[in-house]
Amino acid sequence: MSERVAIGLDLGGTKLAGALVDESGAILARREQPTPAREGPGAVISAIAALANDLAGEARAKAREVAGAGLGAPGPLDPATGVVHAMPNLGEEWRRFPLGERLREALGGTSVHLENDANAAMQGEAWIGAAAGARDAVLLTLGTGVGGGIVASGLLVRGSRGAGAELGHVVVEREGRACGCGGRGCLEQYSSGTALARQAGEALARSPGGALAALGRAPTGEDVVAAARKNDELALSVIEAAGRALGVGLTSIVHALNPRVIVLGGGMGTAAFDLLEPIARRELFSRTFEASREGLSIARAKLGPDAGIVGAARSVFLARARAPERGLT
Amino acid sequence: MSERVAIGLDLGGTKLAGALVDESGAILARREQPTPAREGPGAVISAIAALANDLAGEARAKAREVAGAGLGAPGPLDPATGVVHAMPNLGEEWRRFPLGERLREALGGTSVHLENDANAAMQGEAWIGAAAGARDAVLLTLGTGVGGGIVASGLLVRGSRGAGAELGHVVVEREGRACGCGGRGCLEQYSSGTALARQAGEALARSPGGALAALGRAPTGEDVVAAARKNDELALSVIEAAGRALGVGLTSIVHALNPRVIVLGGGMGTAAFDLLEPIARRELFSRTFEASREGLSIARAKLGPDAGIVGAARSVFLARARAPERGLT
């Protein structure tokens, strides 16, 4: 049995989750609460600190040493400085926010390792999930938006300012839909759960009919997936379009990174994996070199919503292994 | 003065080049000869071995210790196994060819470190060229085709089978021109020297006129650049289209990798840098997050045709530093 544990934390726009994770990746205790996002950074930081302290108490009760805390946060950030560039889902006050430093203060000097939430999820899946054992892997989380994570030669690719692996903003339609990032035609505009709902709504407006029209309300992404499973024609055509766009985005990603495993996660990516994967694979394989796709697999994420917590904990263990003097006990 | 040297080799479809490179990146001696590509693998391997042995003799004459040999080759390959997936410019016989092993035999047991040529050029530029000091960088070589190299966290990104960094095959036009890779709308089809020439030829066929029509022959990429410098309207519009496509491709690359430096190299990328860069930058900056482009620069390659030789030599020094027992003296 592992003696050390890390506190893995996952900060979302609506939910704050945390767990004690041991060195094998097992979760020993977990906590979850709403994120007090509307109350501003001070309240959010206090909530994170309280949750972390609660888990630290639990660790003491289990006679485990706490190696440190890791936090996955929903925005581009620099793990080296602990500065968050922005967290749009939590509000404007978080632009260029020194979250690492403020959390360290709130935790009485305990250092906190920050990671972008999708990078943390990639780290989790690469550790004990669908990409375990792969030194080159990518993760796409298809949910409200599309997030991404990259592992190359066994290391997380964070980029020069921590803004790397934004794979939802790979361009799939050059003059396509405007995206919140300022660009056009980003993958996120075609293959997210939000995109599925919007495309179904647009298709219904053009020609109402089928299971989705019978709902009598605007369909959600989940509705589209459920209707597709019942062979609803309109839902199937929306899924086909999303899967093909995903394959186009994956083409650029695969040519750039030559991963061994592509992991599809997030709410929609996990729930609709069996529907989307064959379509995306067909598109991808029709557009790539043999050398790029040799040995390549596309896998459903294994860790579900725990990926970020587990990956954030993994970052703590890895950081300790690299620089033990910076950890905490 | 550095005592050790490496033999850096660059295998091209028409030309074979090599040099003695010291640990500061300085070239102490160089050789160049035509590649006997038509005579098949045996003749090419003999030519490489003769050139390497010649340079080894030169090293002895200069009383330098040879740390090993590194070769940049024009195709996807696996540096770990020394197997080349394919080298289309050298012929069909090279598919899945054990080039590393065959070269080692030809060199009497000397180990040879193989690297894809664009990756070797990236390594060279990241060592002592336009990306020196950047831990996150990409290289695009715009020439006959478009090659790519990626450095993330200071390490070359080769991918799971050595087929990574094929940045010429990032998709910029989803239903665009068919590409030799099997896909459609790849960057290479819009921003290579070949694409420049083809697009100028097509534009001339539609409406003949200007400096390029006056040539009385099909324009080359160089012709287009020369005419653009004289403000020829047709040439400027071809450059504009190539630069904008480059910006679209860079958008996907920057969102995925968040590099600090983008290096443009290759014959066309170097010669037309001042024409292409402002157009590509404008397109890129209109499509990206602030966090992704913060601190980003686009730089002209510094090492020219030496980048591959210097980078292949660098791979030898790095491999020796990691595993000294595998080197040679």
Side-chain angles (χ1 to χ4, degrees), chain B:
Chain B
M1 200 166 79
S2 311
E3 291 300 320
R4 296 199 313 168
V5 293
I7 297 171
L9 300 158
D10 186 20
L11 173 63
T14 56
K15 201 179 72 179
L16 170 64
L20 287 182
V21 180
D22 76 11
E23 287 182 273
S24 74
I27 289 181
L28 309 184
R30 65 170 82 228
R31 300 284 186 277
E32 196 177 305
Q33 62 169 86
T35 303
R38 287 192 193 171
E39 295 165 47
V44 171
I45 286 163
S46 296
I48 299 171
L51 194 142
N53 283 327
D54 185 14
L55 285 166
E58 181 88 20
R60 279 192 297 276
K62 293 179 188 290
R64 300 295 187 111
E65 180 198 346
V66 176
L71 173 80
L77 58 84
D78 188 340
T81 62
V83 172
V84 169
H85 294 294
M87 297 198 288
N89 294 340
L90 272 87
E92 266 303 306
E93 313 94 292
W94 294 93
R95 283 176 68 87
R96 297 177 191 270
F97 194 92
L99 180 58
E101 191 186 319
R102 293 285 303 277
L103 271 176
R104 190 168 55 78
E105 288 164 14
L107 287 168
T110 293
S111 71
V112 180
H113 185 91
L114 296 192
E115 205 72 80
N116 166 269
D117 56 359
N119 287 356
M122 173 83 266
Q123 183 109 280
E125 293 288 348
W127 185 22
I128 55 160
R135 291 176 55 78
D136 296 274
V138 302
L139 167 71
L140 284 172
T141 58
L142 313 180
T144 309
V146 173
I150 301 171
V151 166
S153 302
L155 297 174
L156 217 48
V157 171
R158 300 184 179 95
S160 66
R161 300 283 174 118
E166 289 285 354
L167 301 179
H169 301 281
V170 163
V171 179
V172 300
E173 288 277 7
R174 179 167 171 170
E175 300 305 334
R177 283 177 189 275
C179 183
C181 75
R184 293 207 151 268
C186 297
L187 176 60
E188 175 163 300
Q189 295 302 317
Y190 301 90
S191 304
S192 61
T194 309
L196 238 61
R198 192 197 54 226
Q199 282 170 336
E202 288 173 4
L204 281 175
R206 284 194 302 270
S207 61
L212 294 173
L215 290 171
R217 57 171 169 76
T220 64
E222 290 73 19
D223 293 331
V224 177
V225 174
R229 292 202 185 287
K230 290 175 188 156
N231 286 315
D232 179 75
E233 216 170 294
L234 188 147
L236 285 171
S237 75
V238 168
I239 295 268
E240 170 82 17
R244 288 196 61 199
L246 179 58
V248 175
L250 286 176
T251 300
S252 294
I253 292 166
V254 164
H255 280 143
L257 297 163
N258 183 213
R260 187 164 76 69
V261 184
I262 295 164
V263 181
L264 300 183
M268 181 62 53
T270 308
F273 179 83
D274 59 314
L275 297 172
L276 290 168
E277 190 272 343
I279 303 165
R281 168 189 295 268
R282 187 173 5 99
E283 187 75 26
L284 170 66
F285 277 40
S286 77
R287 287 174 175 266
T288 38
F289 295 133
E290 191 186 334
S292 300
R293 57 179 194 257
E294 205 177 47
L296 173 68
S297 64
I298 306 180
R300 187 200 304 253
K302 270 194 186 161
L303 305 182
D306 288 341
I309 290 172
V310 168
R314 174 67 166 169
S315 288
V316 173
F317 292 129
L318 290 176
R320 284 277 297 215
R322 280 195 299 271
E325 75 284 359
R326 290 193 306 173
L328 66 141
T329 50

Side-chain angles (χ1 to χ4, degrees), chain A residues 95-96 150 159-166 169 171-174 181-182 252 255-258 286-287 289-290 294, chain B residues 95-96 150 159-166 169 171-174 182 252 255-258 286-287 289-290 294:
Chain A
R95 284 176 67 87
R96 298 178 190 271
I150 302 171
S160 65
R161 301 282 175 118
E166 288 287 352
H169 301 282
V171 179
V172 301
E173 288 278 8
R174 179 168 171 169
C181 75
S252 294
H255 279 143
L257 296 164
N258 182 212
S286 77
R287 288 175 175 263
F289 294 133
E290 193 186 333
E294 207 176 47
Chain B
R95 283 176 68 87
R96 297 177 191 270
I150 301 171
S160 66
R161 300 283 174 118
E166 289 285 354
H169 301 281
V171 179
V172 300
E173 288 277 7
R174 179 167 171 170
S252 294
H255 280 143
L257 297 163
N258 183 213
S286 77
R287 287 174 175 266
F289 295 133
E290 191 186 334
E294 205 177 47

